[in-house]
Amino acid sequence: MNSANKDLAIMVIFLLKIGFTEILQYFKIHSVGRDQLQLVRRNTCITWILIDKILNLFCIDWRTWNHVTAVKNQGECDSCYAFAAVGAIESQYRRRSGKMLDLSVQQVIDCSGKYGNDGCEGGLMHNAYKYIQDAGGIIQEHDYPYEAKIQECRKKRSNPFQVRVRKHVMMPQGDENALADAVATIGPVSVAFDASTRGFMMYGGGSMYRFY
């Protein structure tokens, strides 16, 4: 067995012995650099390719691991920023606790105005995260249901159950490699982009690849 085949056999045994979560944790702990790990988009997934092994490891679709909640309807409220922010938190909570929860988008709409958001007139995800960090957490959807309109903030620190956010980070704007790295090693993230272009106006279905 030559060196390349030996490396491949060892890696296959390694994959068989440990689970998917442990592999993600391995790469997170050991901080695999971009010179060692290249992330390449294929279809709707992320494929990991170890450059030094030339070895395909995974095609990651977090939906297949039940790390993404169901599609939700924002109605006539421009609350996409709140849905995006909350959706990423739901996925991270699922990764860490093993439980999938629907968290309150309405709480973000009603309560994050002082952080720069504007209720049903739009906002930004990082403003939502700042609010949730300072507020001590976000509560569940059934305790603070969605109404598709801004209301008075009804969240209290005494709410019995809250999912807390300790920190958040901003990805470099326009860096698709950094985004792919985050999605593959951390999980679903929230993304903002300009949907006013002709490409979006003419969109009819499938994956977007031309923005003009």
Side-chain angles (χ1 to χ4, degrees):
M1 180 181 290
N2 61 37
S3 178
N5 289 336
K6 182 179 179 181
D7 287 343
L8 178 60
I10 291 173
M11 184 60 71
V12 170
I13 293 171
F14 170 72
L15 294 175
L16 289 173
K17 284 188 174 181
I18 68 174
F20 179 75
T21 302
E22 286 76 11
I23 293 170
L24 291 181
Q25 189 65 25
Y26 173 85
F27 286 119
K28 182 178 179 182
I29 290 173
H30 292 275
S31 300
V32 175
R34 196 168 294 158
D35 59 332
Q36 298 169 293
L37 179 64
Q38 180 181 349
L39 296 154
V40 180
R41 240 177 228 292
R42 290 186 177 176
N43 298 323
T44 59
C45 300
I46 303 293
T47 301
W48 287 10
I49 299 179
L50 285 178
I51 299 302
D52 58 340
K53 305 294 183 186
I54 316 298
L55 176 64
N56 289 347
L57 292 182
F58 283 109
C59 180
I60 300 175
D61 184 342
W62 289 106
R63 295 172 300 177
T64 65
W65 296 89
N66 296 320
H67 278 59
V68 181
T69 51
V71 175
K72 300 173 183 177
N73 186 354
Q74 69 185 61
E76 297 184 3
C77 173
D78 290 341
S79 53
C80 53
Y81 69 95
F83 279 95
V86 172
I89 297 172
E90 290 169 340
S91 295
Q92 290 301 315
Y93 183 78
R94 170 70 170 82
R95 283 195 63 201
R96 284 158 175 73
S97 71
K99 300 177 181 178
M100 180 60 79
L101 299 177
D102 285 310
L103 301 176
S104 177
V105 173
Q106 190 66 41
Q107 177 188 335
V108 174
I109 295 171
D110 292 346
C111 305
S112 64
K114 293 181 180 179
Y115 292 78
N117 290 333
D118 195 16
C120 281
E121 300 299 322
L124 296 170
M125 289 84 77
H126 60 270
N127 292 339
Y129 292 135
K130 290 176 184 176
Y131 155 70
I132 294 168
Q133 285 176 243
D134 291 349
I138 182 170
I139 62 179
Q140 293 187 75
E141 168 73 14
H142 61 68
D143 292 323
Y144 201 147
Y146 187 64
E147 300 181 49
K149 58 183 179 180
I150 190 167
Q151 302 280 2
E152 181 181 353
C153 181
R154 304 189 297 280
K155 193 268 181 186
K156 300 178 180 178
R157 286 187 177 271
S158 59
N159 286 107
F161 180 86
Q162 302 174 64
V163 174
R164 292 174 171 81
V165 175
R166 288 197 296 266
K167 67 177 182 178
H168 69 280
V169 297
M170 295 282 287
M171 304 299 298
Q173 184 174 349
D175 189 338
E176 293 186 4
N177 288 329
L179 178 60
D181 194 352
V183 172
T185 60
I186 297 173
V189 300
S190 56
V191 178
F193 50 84
D194 181 9
S196 66
T197 62
R198 178 178 172 80
F200 276 100
M201 292 179 185
M202 302 299 291
Y203 174 75
S207 300
M208 285 288 299
Y209 64 95
R210 291 186 64 187
F211 299 86
Y212 55 87

